[in-house]
Amino acid sequence: MKKLALITASLALLATPVLAQSTTTTGAAPADAKFSTVSKDEMFSSKLKGLNVYNQKEESIGEITDLALKNDKIDAMILSVGGFLGMGEHYVAVSPSSVNVKYDTKNNKWLATMNTTKEALKAAPEFKYPK
């Protein structure tokens, strides 16, 4: 009987909340979450990555491989240009305003175009990821 009382008291003690020392935090508390509604015609970064970029002659001139963000906005699109099967390619950072991305409702796909040539992109300064 004493064992049962001891076990019951132990379980009751374990079930009570532990009083911890108060901790001090630095910085401001996060703001309340704000939620958005996303319409079906909005672009997602997952749809941009891997998207081929074409020039006005409908020649493939590169591929969007990444986005550079600055102050909550797209600062640059990183394009992979040149090369074949991953060999000899290099990356260039282009202004998002120089790439026209639109949805082709007829073919149900996203398209990216630029008014430049493959040679101009190959000659552009190479982008290297910061370390």
Side-chain angles (χ1 to χ4, degrees):
M1 189 63 140
K2 286 184 181 181
K3 272 187 174 179
L4 183 59
L6 184 60
I7 291 172
T8 304
S10 296
L11 289 175
L13 182 62
L14 290 174
T16 59
V18 176
L19 298 175
Q21 295 179 351
S22 64
T23 58
T24 306
T25 58
T26 57
D32 290 335
K34 294 180 182 174
F35 300 97
S36 296
T37 303
V38 179
S39 65
K40 65 181 181 179
D41 61 341
E42 289 189 49
M43 171 54 94
F44 294 94
S45 63
S46 60
K47 300 292 183 190
L48 277 177
K49 188 172 181 177
L51 189 62
N52 286 320
V53 181
Y54 295 89
N55 63 12
Q56 303 307 81
K57 296 178 184 177
E58 297 185 12
E59 300 168 322
S60 177
I61 57 174
E63 178 182 307
I64 300 172
T65 59
D66 212 343
L67 302 174
L69 304 175
K70 185 179 197 177
N71 299 326
D72 299 332
K73 299 209 184 299
I74 298 175
D75 186 48
M77 290 183 175
I78 311 303
L79 304 182
S80 169
V81 297
F84 181 71
L85 297 175
M87 301 292 290
E89 70 183 354
H90 73 276
Y91 301 103
V92 295
V94 299
S95 169
S97 64
S98 65
V99 181
N100 180 24
V101 179
K102 66 179 181 175
Y103 188 72
D104 178 6
T105 54
K106 181 180 175 185
N107 294 310
N108 194 30
K109 65 180 183 177
W110 287 95
L111 301 172
T113 58
M114 281 183 77
N115 190 17
T116 192
T117 64
K118 187 180 284 191
E119 291 74 24
L121 286 176
K122 286 181 185 178
E126 184 174 4
F127 170 79
K128 294 192 181 205
Y129 284 93
K131 293 185 181 199

